[in-house]
Amino acid sequence: MKFGMSCYCLDPAMASGAMSVDDVIDFAAAHGCEHIEFVPFRLAFVKPDRTLDQGLISHVREKCQSVGIEISTYSVNADLLKTDPAEEAAEIERVKRHIDAAEGLGLSRMRFDVASFRRPFSTNTLYNFNAEFPQMVKNGTLLCDYAASKGITIVMENHGFFINGSERVLRLIEAINRPNLKMTVDVGNFLCVDEDPVAAVKRCIHLAEMVHLKDFYIRKKEQLPDQTEMFNCDNGSWFETLGGRMIRGSILGQGDIDIWEILRTIKHSDFDGYISLEFEGMEPCEKGTEIGLAMARAIWEKV
């Protein structure tokens, strides 16, 4: 098992220009991270014309090697459920280029989404899940097979509001049925669909290769008048769950998720993969990440 962080933790600093990718990698190394995960929000590994930025890929790979930190995975947003065939084909090709970028980074695993994070709540029904399930399986299988040709395992995440919840994610993984398909278990994201994180982790940990550690405050909607920021999941903002509760990112161990029981479950399971902190609170991201990394290690030692 290896502790580390996602560069997403420091995305606000990267967005403002306060930190470069080199600064983020140095931060991770300085705070004892054994690995780092990348998201392409500020890192255009795949350029708008869908060619690879080989210079950036090489630079990031070599920088991580120079400080002795492993790149664990690479996570990209995607929507494989487009209704227009041309748009669907284009999206599949776009994701393939990101798989190529993961290969260039020297990775043996990556994550892509299946459904748009921002699809309307009204479409996130069981009926629509069942209706669109064949398309999920078809396109997921196609991309898993493409990744397998490059020696890459796909680590599907419970992400967003549609392909989320333990039952849906497990059903999809089992239906695709590829040996190079595992799971990224995001302990906080289960709250987006109002599933108990502890119970969900216990259901999913047997398929996990990655774990995302995060924490949330949970409040009743009526306790937060005029704070209905549905889909506005920026760092520090309240947003609404499918069931109508409000949640906001917190420093790990300071929110309302039972992180102690979750880490106890993980530690005493057969999991032997990567644990990656994802901080998305309103505190300064450097401090929130530093505290979260220390908290994760301290709790791990005590459970």
Side-chain angles (χ1 to χ4, degrees):
M1 190 283 303
K2 294 183 179 181
F3 272 113
M5 59 173 277
S6 171
C7 75
Y8 177 64
C9 294
L10 301 177
D11 187 66
M14 294 182 74
S16 70
M19 295 184 80
S20 66
V21 65
D22 284 10
D23 295 329
V24 171
I25 295 167
D26 286 336
F27 179 99
H31 288 83
C33 291
E34 298 172 87
H35 70 92
I36 188 169
E37 176 181 357
F38 288 107
V39 293
F41 296 156
R42 316 298 162 194
L43 298 168
F45 295 123
V46 179
K47 294 185 284 190
D49 65 0
R50 300 208 180 149
T51 60
L52 301 186
D53 188 332
Q54 298 289 0
L56 178 62
I57 290 170
S58 296
H59 175 80
V60 169
R61 185 184 65 244
E62 291 165 6
K63 173 64 179 178
C64 288
Q65 289 172 345
S66 74
V67 299
I69 191 167
E70 181 182 355
I71 306 175
S72 54
T73 192
Y74 172 51
S75 299
V76 298
N77 293 336
D79 181 9
L80 308 182
L81 302 180
K82 295 184 180 296
T83 55
D84 179 87
E87 292 182 0
E88 179 188 34
E91 181 71 345
I92 289 169
E93 289 305 309
R94 185 184 71 85
V95 176
K96 284 182 177 180
R97 298 294 76 75
H98 282 288
I99 293 173
D100 295 341
E103 180 186 32
L105 287 165
L107 296 181
S108 59
R109 68 193 61 78
M110 76 160 287
R111 184 215 93 189
F112 57 79
D113 286 344
V114 175
S116 170
F117 178 80
R118 298 184 181 275
R119 65 183 281 154
F121 270 20
S122 61
T123 70
N124 289 341
T125 64
L126 181 59
Y127 176 87
N128 284 340
F129 179 80
N130 288 331
E132 297 178 61
F133 193 72
Q135 187 179 10
M136 300 178 205
V137 174
K138 179 194 72 172
N139 290 336
T141 301
L142 187 156
L143 287 169
C144 281
D145 288 347
Y146 184 77
S149 72
K150 298 175 177 293
I152 292 174
T153 292
I154 299 302
V155 283
M156 185 176 291
E157 183 177 343
N158 55 303
H159 191 235
F161 300 88
F162 193 52
I163 313 302
N164 200 346
S166 58
E167 295 300 326
R168 290 191 184 187
V169 178
L170 292 175
R171 182 182 168 195
L172 181 54
I173 290 174
E174 290 166 2
I176 292 174
N177 191 27
R178 287 295 189 268
N180 70 318
L181 178 58
K182 301 296 183 182
M183 186 172 175
T184 294
V185 176
D186 187 301
V187 308
N189 283 355
F190 291 111
L191 285 177
C192 295
V193 294
D194 301 283
E195 185 173 13
D196 174 60
V198 173
V201 169
K202 289 179 179 179
R203 291 189 190 105
C204 296
I205 195 63
H206 70 286
L207 278 179
E209 183 154 326
M210 292 282 305
V211 170
H212 281 173
L213 269 187
K214 65 173 61 155
D215 205 349
F216 282 112
Y217 299 111
I218 309 169
R219 297 291 182 270
K220 294 178 180 178
K221 190 173 181 179
E222 57 266 28
Q223 294 174 332
L224 297 166
D226 300 322
Q227 298 297 310
T228 53
E229 300 184 67
M230 188 184 298
F231 290 135
N232 181 12
C233 300
D234 295 333
N235 294 53
S237 70
W238 292 98
F239 63 96
E240 193 169 357
T241 71
L242 274 181
R245 295 188 296 177
M246 303 297 286
I247 60 177
R248 176 165 71 80
S250 77
I251 293 174
L252 188 78
Q254 298 185 14
D256 296 317
I257 296 178
D258 191 349
I259 296 297
W260 285 73
E261 184 60 27
I262 285 171
L263 283 174
R264 181 179 292 110
T265 296
I266 296 168
K267 184 173 181 176
H268 298 286
S269 72
D270 293 330
F271 176 78
D272 190 29
Y274 297 80
I275 296 180
S276 187
L277 179 72
E278 278 197 339
F279 169 70
E280 49 188 24
M282 66 163 45
E283 295 85 355
C285 59
E286 299 93 327
K287 180 56 68 174
T289 302
E290 179 182 10
I291 295 171
L293 288 168
M295 182 72 81
R297 293 190 188 93
I299 296 174
W300 184 267
E301 291 302 315
K302 293 179 182 297
V303 296

